Amino acid sequence: MASSKSVLSLVTFSFGVAIGFIFCYVIVNIVLEKKVTPQPEIFHNDPHVRHSDDDAPSEQLQGQMNFNADKEQHHDEDTHIADGLNEKVKILCWVMTGPQNLEKKAKHIKATWAKRCNKVLYMSSEENKEFPTVGLDTKEGRDQLYWKTIKAFQYVHDHHLEEADWFMKADDDTYVVLDNLRWLLSKHNPEDPIYFGRRFKPYVKQGYMSGGAGYVLSKEALKRFVNAFKEEKCTHSSSVEDLALGKCMEIINVKAGDSRDTSGKETFHPFVPEHHLIQGYLPKTFWYWNYNYYPAIETLKQETHNLLSNMNKITRKEKKKTGTIPSAPSPPFQLYYCIGNHSPSLRYDFHAFYHCHHAKIIKQT
């Protein structure tokens, strides 16, 4: 009898140990999984620190990408408006890059949206004849951004001034839909001193354009900017590229333009989409909310509603004029995202001029 009790006790003990082990194993795995799960991007609480760190390791795409995988889906689209704007609104794009980013970032720009620029240049600290890049004879690093920007605009002014009407600066992790940018710029005269981008309000009376979202100078603005350094109206002593450029623009009477669409929505965006579209993603203590020149809108519901209502309005307008509904209605300048670490590529129909974090373009649509 005593023996059977001992056996029962042993079985009960063993069963308890097994259950305890399994329970501990599950708990430990849950804890470890939480630790290794990628967390949302932790932003610097500083508007002038780039959130894409060129030196930080980033997950690389594997294999050869087919950038024209869905080309056939678009073969019958009506592109006459975009084609007309391509001739009417000539844009020179120059991309800020470096030797370490040609394969990681710049080559994806070269394979996708840069093809729609009237002229494209890649600005680096060193010349690379194969890519190719323009060597600006500068150092790399965040403290060199404004100096590289000045030298890049000087190079464009001296060598390519008559090849375009508008001159866009973009980082090598930015994605641009040129058709929509041309749509915005078509309403303005390149001979006027004006520039466009995501407008921030502190430190400069008229505001200044965020460097992360890219910005576009008119031909007259470019002339004044380059001459300002020759005439010593502006200096290159600051390392804060976008703010320093904004201060210089105000000194030389270049207007900070309003790049919002017809319903008041922003069209240049400094962050990846979830940071703009998911309500509450960015805490209200984050600098972004105090820096916006115009009221910021963050919810996906509001953005998509605006997109559909604008497209419907244009469709109705075109039908009234022509009696038919165009297969590709002329786009309102409402912007969405391309691709980054956290999101697949969204459709070109969504009209995008979005900043991409560690951009890895997998599809041109």
Side-chain angles (χ1 to χ4, degrees):
M1 189 73 175
S3 177
S4 58
K5 284 186 177 180
S6 298
V7 171
L8 181 61
S9 298
L10 182 62
V11 170
T12 304
F13 175 77
S14 300
F15 182 75
V17 169
I19 294 298
F21 177 79
I22 293 171
F23 180 77
C24 291
Y25 178 81
V26 171
I27 295 297
V28 169
N29 272 277
I30 291 174
V31 171
L32 290 177
E33 187 176 333
K34 286 184 177 180
K35 287 185 177 180
V36 299
T37 299
Q39 298 299 310
E41 182 75 16
I42 302 301
F43 278 159
H44 304 286
N45 201 21
D46 180 350
H48 304 120
V49 173
R50 290 288 187 271
H51 302 298
S52 56
D53 189 349
D54 294 342
D55 299 323
S58 60
E59 183 182 350
Q60 297 295 311
L61 291 180
Q62 300 298 319
Q64 181 65 40
M65 297 299 105
N66 182 359
F67 294 105
N68 297 299
D70 64 347
K71 186 177 180 181
E72 287 303 311
Q73 297 180 26
H74 305 282
H75 73 280
D76 60 344
E77 288 184 351
D78 182 355
T79 63
H80 74 279
I81 294 176
D83 294 340
L85 286 174
N86 186 64
E87 295 300 317
K88 178 184 175 183
V89 183
K90 295 191 178 295
I91 301 175
L92 182 148
C93 312
W94 72 262
V95 179
M96 174 91 76
T97 189
Q100 74 281 10
N101 283 342
L102 298 184
E103 286 299 309
K104 289 194 297 182
K105 298 180 181 181
K107 77 172 183 180
H108 302 301
I109 290 178
K110 187 178 181 181
T112 55
W113 65 262
K115 293 180 178 181
R116 301 194 66 81
C117 300
N118 297 95
K119 176 77 177 181
V120 61
L121 299 169
Y122 298 90
M123 301 294 187
S124 177
S125 56
E126 303 173 4
E127 182 182 18
N128 183 314
K129 292 182 179 180
E130 292 183 6
F131 191 81
T133 64
V134 175
L136 298 175
D137 194 25
T138 63
K139 298 177 182 178
E140 290 294 332
R142 301 187 193 285
D143 60 339
Q144 297 294 310
L145 288 177
Y146 190 41
W147 182 225
K148 284 178 73 175
T149 299
I150 295 167
K151 295 199 72 172
F153 275 126
Q154 287 175 340
Y155 180 89
V156 169
H157 177 274
D158 294 345
H159 296 89
H160 303 283
L161 182 63
E162 300 306 322
E163 296 180 44
D165 305 309
W166 299 90
F167 302 85
M168 181 188 72
K169 175 264 176 185
D171 290 336
D172 54 14
D173 57 354
T174 304
Y175 189 86
V176 186
V177 171
L178 269 299
D179 297 335
N180 295 340
L181 182 57
R182 289 190 178 96
W183 183 265
L184 168 69
L185 298 176
S186 66
K187 302 173 180 64
H188 301 275
N189 186 346
E191 299 305 321
D192 292 336
I194 192 169
Y195 79 126
F196 296 96
R198 180 56 174 264
R199 197 171 177 185
F200 286 164
K201 66 185 178 184
Y203 308 117
V204 183
K205 186 177 180 180
Q206 69 167 358
Y208 67 96
M209 304 306 170
S210 162
Y215 44 80
V216 189
L217 278 62
S218 69
K219 180 176 285 188
E220 177 60 23
L222 174 61
K223 291 177 182 178
R224 293 192 183 192
F225 182 69
V226 172
N227 288 333
F229 292 93
K230 295 178 180 178
E231 299 169 1
E232 299 184 347
K233 293 179 180 179
C234 298
T235 68
H236 62 266
S237 57
S238 174
S239 62
V240 184
E241 167 223 339
D242 48 7
L243 177 57
L245 185 138
K247 288 181 176 179
C248 180
M249 290 297 182
E250 186 166 82
I251 290 171
I252 59 180
N253 296 314
V254 172
K255 181 182 177 182
D258 184 351
S259 60
R260 293 176 298 167
D261 67 12
T262 53
S263 62
K265 300 292 195 306
E266 295 283 1
T267 57
F268 289 75
H269 302 273
F271 307 133
V272 293
E274 57 264 43
H275 302 151
H276 292 286
L277 300 177
I278 299 175
Q279 192 166 19
Y281 195 102
L282 296 177
K284 293 302 180 181
T285 54
F286 192 53
W287 61 262
Y288 170 78
W289 301 109
N290 293 323
Y291 271 66
N292 284 297
Y293 196 89
Y294 307 108
I297 297 174
E298 61 175 332
T299 64
L300 181 59
K301 180 178 179 181
Q302 288 170 299
E303 293 295 320
T304 52
H305 173 75
N306 175 70
L307 173 65
L308 294 173
S309 63
N310 276 349
M311 290 181 72
N312 289 336
K313 287 177 184 176
I314 289 177
T315 299
R316 291 197 300 271
K317 184 178 179 182
E318 290 296 322
K319 183 176 181 180
K320 186 176 181 180
K321 285 173 24 182
T322 65
T324 61
I325 297 177
S327 59
S330 52
F333 195 71
Q334 178 60 45
L335 306 180
Y336 268 72
Y337 178 60
C338 62
I339 181 165
N341 283 354
H342 315 297
S343 170
S345 180
L346 297 184
R347 295 293 303 169
Y348 174 69
D349 319 345
F350 282 89
H351 315 313
F353 182 111
Y354 237 106
H355 178 74
C356 299
H357 180 66
H358 289 308
K360 303 180 186 71
I361 312 305
I362 62 171
K363 180 167 64 174
Q364 171 71 355
T365 56

